[in-house]
Amino acid sequence: SWPMLEVLHRILRSPGLWLVLGLLLIAYLLVGWVESVGGPEAIRVRYGVLAPAITSSIQVLVAPTPFPSDVICIAQGALYGFWFALGLNWLGWWLASHIEFLLGRRLRGDFDLESRMRRLPRWLTRFPVDHPVFLIFVRQVPWAGGHLSTFVPGAMGVPFLRSAWCNAIGIDPAAILTAAVGAGLLAL
């Protein structure tokens, strides 16, 4: 049998991969829906007090994907003010971090990462993915940090509670910044 066919077969049979693809499709459709109704401001006008729950739910589903959730968080700052948006942004990213962590955990089982980890170079396996310093500070890396700080620890078997509290701390700077930028846009 050909090794490449075995890999392809494993990929196509992976429930985790299908979950990731489904989440990508949902995020894509939600982003398109927000644009089709006129953007976040139109959601606020149309749905009133339910708008924060809608925009936060969209953030939770978009954040684990490559689509930028920062735009949603900045819009929340502009729509709801700094303090309320700070809470929404933080909570949305924290919930999204759990989804991404669990996707990493699921894919770990689908692709037998344990045996692959044993084949990595020794210097790379000494990198402390489960250390709080890694889990908190890697999140600060622009564009990729949020995904690295949640998906990789899930795939590497880091305990869920450690990941959850480290993400609770690591999310703070981005939640503050995006809420401030959005609220500042109103002041312009």
Side-chain angles (χ1 to χ4, degrees), residues 11-161:
I11 289 171
L12 293 176
R13 288 187 331 191
S14 166
L17 176 69
W18 291 106
L19 285 170
V20 169
L21 292 175
L23 189 59
L24 280 168
L25 178 62
I26 289 169
Y28 176 77
L29 293 173
L30 284 172
V31 168
W33 175 75
V34 169
E35 290 174 5
S36 74
V37 297
E41 176 62 30
I43 290 174
R44 190 180 85 175
V45 170
R46 181 179 291 176
Y47 296 102
V49 295
L50 292 177
I54 293 169
T55 58
S56 290
S57 298
I58 293 170
Q59 176 196 358
V60 169
L61 293 171
V62 169
T65 72
F67 298 108
S69 61
D70 302 39
V71 175
I72 297 165
C73 294
I74 290 169
Q76 290 182 143
L79 294 173
Y80 313 123
F82 175 77
W83 291 107
F84 191 57
L86 173 60
L88 289 174
N89 294 350
W90 182 88
L91 182 61
W93 272 329
W94 192 63
L95 293 173
S97 75
H98 298 336
I99 292 171
E100 197 162 12
F101 178 89
L102 294 172
L103 285 171
R105 182 64 49 91
R106 175 67 232 186
L107 289 170
R108 172 191 176 127
D110 290 353
F111 293 101
D112 188 25
L113 293 180
E114 293 296 323
S115 67
R116 298 193 191 306
M117 290 300 298
R118 288 191 289 271
R119 291 186 258 159
L120 287 174
R122 188 148 182 78
W123 65 269
L124 191 57
T125 60
R126 284 190 252 172
F127 196 64
V129 173
D130 63 341
H131 196 281
V133 171
F134 171 84
L135 294 170
I136 292 168
F137 288 104
V138 77
R139 187 161 193 100
Q140 309 317 311
V141 174
W143 297 290
H147 301 296
L148 290 173
S149 69
T150 55
F151 186 81
V152 171
M156 300 299 286
V158 172
F160 177 79
L161 288 177

